[in-house]
Amino acid sequence: MTKINSFNLFLMSIVSVLLFSSYIIPVFAITLETSSLSYGSADRMFLKGTIDPENKFYEPVILNVFNNGEKIIQMQSDIVENSFTALITGTRGSFDPGFYSVEASHSSTTETASVLIAVVERDNSSGDYP
């Protein structure tokens, strides 16, 4: 019969904790999507996303809008049943034509989710994008 000394018992307990810790510690993920990849300058951007698993602390999602690497808008969105939404208007009621990056973050995860959105001038005579 093999004797188990205290050091071997200690090593086995450490290995057990390491093997099963991934099942105990939840992994949080965040997603972000937009209804369109292109908006008119006077349009509002509609965004939606998820946080999984559901945040039990009810802290809001932080949304940042960047233009040319500069943060121009920061807002919060509440989480309802793992989902959040945002309707974003430009800082002066409209967006300048160009590319905007929107980033979503949450305190429960170190990862962020982002989308790239193009803003174009709308042709008012036809109502279509150029």
Side-chain angles (χ1 to χ4, degrees):
M1 208 159 119
T2 306
K3 285 183 148 184
I4 298 177
N5 64 27
S6 61
F7 181 72
N8 286 341
L9 186 60
F10 173 73
L11 285 178
M12 287 190 303
S13 63
I14 294 295
V15 169
S16 297
V17 168
L18 291 175
L19 287 175
F20 296 108
S21 65
S22 63
Y23 297 106
I24 297 170
I25 301 171
V27 176
F28 291 92
I30 188 167
T31 66
L32 181 65
E33 60 186 67
T34 180
S35 59
S36 175
L37 295 177
S38 176
Y39 288 91
S41 58
D43 293 344
R44 295 186 289 175
M45 298 176 186
F46 179 71
L47 301 153
K48 64 182 178 177
T50 60
I51 184 88
D52 188 51
E54 184 176 357
N55 178 26
K56 300 299 182 191
F57 301 106
Y58 301 104
E59 295 179 24
V61 170
I62 305 298
L63 295 159
N64 293 306
V65 180
F66 297 91
N67 184 356
N68 296 324
E70 179 183 342
K71 184 179 359 177
I72 60 169
I73 298 171
Q74 181 175 25
M75 63 182 296
Q76 297 181 350
S77 180
D78 291 332
I79 300 168
V80 177
E81 296 179 2
N82 295 46
S83 298
F84 61 92
T85 59
L87 192 58
I88 301 174
T89 304
T91 55
R92 295 181 305 269
S94 65
F95 290 96
D96 293 331
F99 291 95
Y100 293 81
S101 174
V102 182
E103 181 180 275
S105 62
H106 192 266
S107 62
S108 65
T109 180
T110 57
E111 296 186 19
T112 60
S114 62
V115 293
L116 183 64
I117 297 172
V119 173
V120 295
E121 288 192 45
R122 184 175 284 220
D123 180 2
N124 291 333
S125 62
S126 67
D128 294 332
Y129 294 101

